[in-house]
Amino acid sequence: GRMGRTLVELYYDVISPYSWLAFEVLCRYRHIWNIDLRFRPAFLGGIMQQTGNKPPAMLPKRGEYMLKDMKRMAKYYQVPVHMSADDFQRIIGTNSLTAMRFITAMDMTNPQYLEPLSREFWMRFWSQHEDITQPENILAVARQAGVSAELSQKALEMISSSAVKDRLKETTAEALKHGAFGMPAVVAHYDGKPHLFFGSDRLELLGSIIGE
C-alpha cells in the first residue's frame, strides 16, 4: 500500500444489515481516506454464541427502534436495505454459515470477486428478500456478481472442505480477539495497536482517530 496507509479491517456477515451500511460507506471512503480496506468475512452466529449476545429484535422496543433506524440509515447512506417487522423472523430462521463459507472460498481462490459477491448477497437478502441458504440461490448470487459458472461451482465444492471451514473459524476468532461481540466490527490498525469500532455509526470516530 501507499506510504503511511492505515489498515482498516471490516469483519462482516451478510446476514447483518448494519454490516452492509458499514461496507458501502468504507468502500466510498477508501478513495478519500489514506486507508487500505481489508474485507474479513466472518460468522456472526459464532460471535453471538461465543459472547452470549442476542439479536437486537429479541427486545421488542429495540426491534421497533431498529426498523425506524434502518429506514433512516438506508435513506441517508443511499443503500437499498428494506426492512419490515417480519424480517426479524426471517433473520432468526436463516443460517448464513453456507453463504459465509462460500464467500470465504471465493476470498481464498479469487479475491477480486469478494467485494461484488458480498454486495450481491446483501442485495438478494436485504433488498430482494430472497433466500441465500440454498446452493442454487448462492450460485445465482455469484452469477449476479459476475463470477463464472466454473469458478462458483468450484467455490461451492470447497465449502465442505476443512480449509474453508478453518479459515472462516480463524477469521471469526480474530474478530473475537479484537473484542467483537456483533457485526460489523471495524478494526483500524493505527499507532501500533488495533482500535475496534462496533456498528456502522462510529465511522466518523474511526476517521478522527486515524487522523482523517
Side-chain angles (χ1 to χ4, degrees), residues 5-195:
R5 279 162 91 81
T6 300
L7 171 64
V8 174
E9 296 181 285
L10 170 65
Y11 292 89
Y12 68 94
D13 185 317
V14 294
I15 199 82
S16 153
Y18 287 105
S19 291
W20 190 11
L21 296 172
F23 172 90
E24 295 299 357
V25 176
L26 288 169
C27 280
R28 294 167 195 172
Y29 272 83
R30 73 181 155 186
H31 305 296
I32 301 164
W33 289 350
N34 196 26
I35 61 173
D36 274 324
L37 180 58
R38 189 171 170 209
F39 300 118
R40 307 297 311 275
F43 181 47
L44 179 57
I47 285 184
M48 299 298 263
Q49 199 186 353
Q50 294 280 321
T51 58
N53 196 355
K54 300 269 184 291
M58 300 288 268
L59 187 67
K61 283 289 173 206
R62 204 173 163 193
E64 270 173 49
Y65 176 77
M66 192 179 170
L67 285 177
K68 292 178 190 149
D69 186 48
M70 197 40 83
K71 203 171 179 169
R72 292 191 288 222
M73 295 281 270
K75 190 178 175 193
Y76 181 77
Y77 285 122
Q78 298 291 297
V79 177
V81 184
H82 303 301
M83 190 188 268
S84 63
D86 31 324
D87 280 325
F88 297 146
Q89 279 316 111
R90 208 165 64 98
I91 306 169
I92 291 164
T94 298
N95 189 331
S96 63
L97 187 57
T98 308
M100 294 316 297
R101 280 181 182 160
F102 183 83
I103 290 169
T104 300
M106 196 60 76
D107 186 25
M108 291 166 78
T109 51
N110 296 90
Q112 71 274 25
Y113 290 115
L114 187 56
E115 183 187 330
L117 181 66
S118 301
R119 182 176 285 116
E120 286 303 332
F121 269 106
W122 277 303
M123 282 297 284
R124 188 175 177 92
F125 191 77
W126 283 108
S127 210
Q128 294 148 3
H129 291 202
E130 302 272 352
D131 178 85
I132 56 162
T133 63
Q134 297 307 309
E136 62 273 22
N137 297 322
I138 287 173
L139 292 174
V141 170
R143 198 165 51 241
Q144 276 299 122
V147 183
S148 74
E150 189 190 353
L151 289 181
S152 40
Q153 196 55 52
K154 186 180 153 195
L156 195 61
E157 283 160 19
M158 284 175 69
I159 61 177
S160 54
S161 72
S162 54
V164 167
K165 290 177 178 176
D166 290 348
R167 165 74 83 94
L168 184 57
K169 277 189 195 131
E170 281 158 20
T171 307
T172 306
E174 272 180 48
L176 284 161
K177 189 189 77 195
H178 286 309
F181 51 88
M183 296 273 185
V186 183
V187 178
H189 298 268
Y190 187 74
D191 235 2
K193 55 183 181 285
H195 302 261

